[in-house]
């Protein structure tokens, strides 16, 4: 029997078959969950519909999370379609391209607001919108990155947004605890997704990461999917407010291996 049998999961942030959201959706499907999908805009629909069909999802709804109306609408539709839901996955992040290079202090007021709105507030807003239809024993999950804790050159505004997202995860854990709903985040190592490939210098970063990580390997969307099954199923009952690293151990290293310094000489 699957670990998510009898659970309904709604996944936000599916763009294509490279998305972390797709790794999570496939793992949930494998474990017997009923799936609903939400995507950002019309441009993605032709990519997302066939993926939804692969996992037998008949709830496929557009939702731009910068709109309160669209969030309210998708929650209303989910209530009509499913009645109650068990799991919400938030796999969404966005900053203007100019905020992801150069000095952090060059971040504009509007750019700061946009990144915080799409990458952080949307998780809080989804939590609130779905709270009335979430079942006891359910879970909320978001995706973060280590640039929230330590400085990752050029991650800049997104690092600050991820720090706020991780703090939001802890505050939401407190809010939802009494309802028996857990709130956690996966902090993933670099993955070659649509969002990541839009970042200059990502290829080199992706390679250097694998060289520095204890396991000497990059991570996959399947790794994220399996960790998400743990965090959103009863396997992690009483685990809440956690930032769970899926990063080949990268975050435990204080510096590269000595031989990696020598290479540069
Ligand atoms: P992706 O491009 O596949 O997913 C990002 C998603 O955000 C897309 O589906 C996009 O449509 C959605 N989105 C952006 N603006 C939106 C809006 N206004 N409304 C609704 N949806 C919107 O890339 P990904 O790497 O799978 O990103 C998913 C999450 O994982 C992000 O939070 C990202 O920060 C995080 N993450 C990514 C990596 C990585 O290296 N790829 C590492 C750690 C964490
Ligand atoms: O969270 C992310 C990327 C998020 C992202 C990517 C883009 C590219 C296109 C947010 N907004 C945009 N806006 C765009 O216009 N990651 C964890 C991947 C990532 O991005 C980096 C990284 C890593 C890792 C940027 C700089 C340095 C490292």
């Amino acid at each position: 029997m699957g670990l998510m049998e009898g659970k309904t999961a709604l996944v936000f942030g599916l763009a294509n078959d490279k998305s972390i959201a797709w790794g999570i959706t496939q793992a949930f499907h494998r474990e017997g969950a009923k799936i609903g999908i939400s995507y950002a805009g019309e441009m993605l629909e032709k990519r997302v519909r066939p993926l939804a069909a692969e996992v037998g999802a008949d709830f496929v709804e557009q939702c731009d999370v910068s709109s309160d109306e669209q969030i309210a609408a998708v929650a209303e539709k989910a209530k009509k379609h499913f009645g109650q839901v068990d799991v919400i996955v938030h796999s969404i992040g966005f900053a203007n391209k100019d905020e992801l290079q150069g000095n952090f202090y060059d971040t504009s007021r509007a750019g700061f607001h946009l990144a915080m709105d799409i990458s952080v507030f949307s998780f809080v807003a989804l939590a609130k919108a779905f709270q009335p239809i979430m079942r006891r024993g359910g879970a909320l999950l978001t995706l973060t990155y280590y640039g929230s804790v330590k400085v990752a050159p050029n991650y800049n505004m997104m690092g600050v947004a991820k720090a706020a997202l991780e703090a939001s995860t802890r505050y939401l854990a407190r809010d939802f605890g009494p309802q028996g709903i857990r709130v956690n985040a996966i902090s993933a190592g670099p993955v070659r997704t649509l969002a990541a490939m839009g970042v200059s210098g990502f290829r080199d970063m992706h390679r250097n990461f694998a060289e520095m990580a204890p396991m000497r390997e990059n991570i996959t969307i399947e790794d994220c999917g399996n960790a998400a099954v743990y965090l959103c199923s009863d396997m992690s009952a009483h685990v809440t407010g956690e930032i769970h690293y899926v990063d080949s151990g990268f975050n435990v290293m204080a510096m590269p291996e000595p031989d990696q310094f020598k290479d540069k000489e």
Side-chain angles (χ1 to χ4, degrees):
M1 182 170 144
L3 290 167
M4 296 188 70
E5 217 84 53
K7 290 201 193 276
T8 297
L10 243 168
V11 179
F12 289 81
L14 185 58
N16 58 36
D17 66 351
K18 307 284 186 285
S19 293
I20 292 175
W22 180 235
I24 294 173
T25 299
Q26 285 180 298
F28 283 4
H29 174 62
R30 181 193 73 214
E31 297 299 334
K34 188 191 283 185
I35 310 281
I37 302 277
S38 175
Y39 60 96
E42 256 150 63
M43 298 233 313
L44 293 173
E45 185 169 2
K46 66 176 190 304
R47 280 263 145 68
V48 168
R49 290 259 171 213
L51 294 175
E54 262 187 62
V55 295
D58 55 0
F59 184 90
V60 187
E61 294 294 336
Q62 189 178 318
C63 177
D64 179 334
V65 295
S66 65
S67 156
D68 290 336
E69 292 72 27
Q70 291 191 31
I71 290 175
V74 76
E76 191 52 45
K77 284 178 189 164
K79 183 180 176 172
K80 285 218 175 78
H81 190 92
F82 295 117
Q84 288 188 299
V85 305
D86 302 278
V87 173
I88 302 285
V89 176
H90 172 272
S91 186
I92 292 171
F94 189 79
N96 283 323
K97 232 177 159 152
D98 2 321
E99 324 296 355
L100 295 176
Q101 53 198 312
N103 291 311
F104 170 61
Y105 62 61
D106 285 324
T107 303
S108 68
R109 192 183 296 272
F112 195 105
H113 282 157
L114 179 73
M116 293 297 281
D117 187 24
I118 308 295
S119 312
V120 188
F121 180 73
S122 64
F123 185 46
V124 182
L126 287 177
K128 178 168 176 157
F130 283 91
Q131 187 268 333
I133 62 163
M134 292 279 298
R135 226 181 251 115
R136 215 182 161 75
L140 306 176
L141 180 70
T142 189
L143 271 298
T144 185
Y145 174 64
Y146 190 47
S148 61
V149 179
K150 298 289 181 186
V151 174
N154 299 316
Y155 198 58
N156 296 0
M157 184 57 227
M158 279 305 294
V160 172
K162 292 302 194 189
L165 180 68
E166 291 173 20
S168 300
T169 300
R170 292 184 283 271
Y171 278 89
L172 289 171
R174 185 262 183 168
D175 290 349
F176 279 83
Q179 264 186 260
I181 291 162
R182 300 175 299 101
V183 189
N184 293 291
I186 289 174
S187 185
V191 187
R192 295 165 146 224
T193 61
L194 188 63
M197 298 314 274
V199 168
S200 64
F202 184 84
R203 287 175 87 91
D204 287 340
M205 225 211 46
H206 187 257
R207 202 190 50 246
N208 292 336
F209 172 91
E211 286 174 11
M212 260 185 76
M215 297 188 74
R216 304 287 196 281
E217 279 175 1
N218 282 107
I219 73 136
T220 65
I221 62 170
E222 288 75 24
D223 296 330
C224 293
N226 289 329
V229 167
Y230 164 69
L231 289 171
C232 297
S233 71
D234 303 342
M235 294 302 285
S236 64
H238 300 116
V239 175
T240 194
E242 286 295 319
I243 312 302
H244 182 83
Y245 283 84
V246 176
D247 70 344
S248 299
F250 184 96
N251 77 93
V252 308
M253 299 298 290
M255 60 177 74
E257 294 292 338
D259 60 306
Q260 287 163 1
F261 284 117
K262 275 186 227 131
D263 283 350
K264 303 282 173 205
E265 284 166 16

